[in-house]
Amino acid sequence: MRVGIGYDVHKLVENRKLILGGVEIPHTLGLLGHSDADVLLHAIMDALLGAAALGDIGKHFPDTDEQYKGISSIRLLEHVRDLIEKEGYLIENIDATVIAQKPKLRPYIDKMQENIANALKIEKNQVNVKATTEERLGFTGREEGISSQAICALSSLYENSVMVSDSTGGCCGGCQRG
């Protein structure tokens, strides 16, 4: 089992869309960034990459590379999924928190979880997204920006195959060999 943690923050500005978890949320301000600036997905990607010891999103998607300008972070998350799979890891679960004074995010969280699960090809119950305010304290409380934190657990295909072969029901849980 491997665990990763991720954090991201972006400034709120006018004339940008607010996209969190792949959901466009109506708001007077949006997040500034080279891509769509989806802080939730950026924190999740960093957690996944960290757990797999594959660096961070800056390494894989540098903000100096024009191919990532304005790109959907859902596409980047799908690429991270491919990197994780290539290394032989399975995503066990993701738990993430978005810190924003406004807007209220509860109405959008189910869709965010669905988008994340679909992009990662995992079950929706493996993804948990929460939202909180900072009671008007700090840059998020003053509505200057939004931040997000995420943690994930990965297991390797090897770990899962050993668990199956070590089961009490035989080699694969259903036969009587072994």
Side-chain angles (χ1 to χ4, degrees):
M1 171 88 49
R2 298 177 71 117
V3 176
I5 188 167
Y7 174 81
D8 196 37
V9 61
H10 284 274
K11 183 178 181 174
L12 282 164
V13 296
E14 294 181 353
N15 301 316
R16 287 278 297 196
K17 293 179 181 178
L18 178 58
I19 299 172
L20 295 170
V23 177
E24 186 175 335
I25 299 169
H27 193 51
T28 58
L29 302 171
L31 294 170
L32 181 63
H34 187 67
S35 66
D36 63 7
D38 188 329
V39 293
L40 173 58
L41 296 187
H42 292 186
I44 290 170
M45 287 187 279
D46 268 346
L48 292 167
L49 290 166
L54 293 173
D56 61 20
I57 61 174
K59 174 183 175 181
H60 294 276
F61 317 111
D63 63 6
T64 55
D65 192 330
E66 284 301 308
Q67 72 176 318
Y68 303 120
K69 186 170 178 62
I71 194 169
S72 165
S73 293
I74 288 286
R75 301 290 84 76
L76 300 178
L77 184 61
E78 291 169 345
H79 182 73
V80 167
R81 176 203 66 219
D82 293 343
L83 293 171
I84 300 295
E85 286 178 358
K86 183 179 175 189
E87 293 297 314
Y89 292 110
L90 300 171
I91 299 168
E92 294 294 332
N93 76 304
I94 295 167
D95 187 28
T97 304
V98 179
I99 302 102
Q101 193 65 39
K102 288 183 183 174
K104 294 292 183 193
L105 300 177
R106 180 63 242 154
Y108 308 100
I109 287 178
D110 288 341
K111 183 63 177 165
M112 291 178 196
Q113 291 174 161
E114 183 180 314
N115 290 346
I116 294 163
N118 288 342
L120 294 173
K121 296 182 181 177
I122 60 177
E123 297 297 318
K124 190 175 171 185
N125 68 3
Q126 291 175 270
V127 179
N128 189 59
V129 175
K130 305 174 297 294
T132 190
T133 69
E134 288 193 298
E135 303 298 329
R136 302 207 176 280
L137 299 173
F139 73 91
T140 57
R142 292 187 301 270
E143 300 177 50
E144 296 171 8
I146 294 177
S147 65
S148 185
Q149 301 173 358
I151 190 165
C152 73
L154 302 180
S155 61
S156 71
L157 292 174
Y158 172 77
E159 287 174 298
N160 284 312
S161 65
V162 169
M163 286 189 287
V164 169
S165 68
D166 288 345
S167 67
T168 57
C171 69
C172 59
C175 72
Q176 298 305 312
R177 293 186 311 185

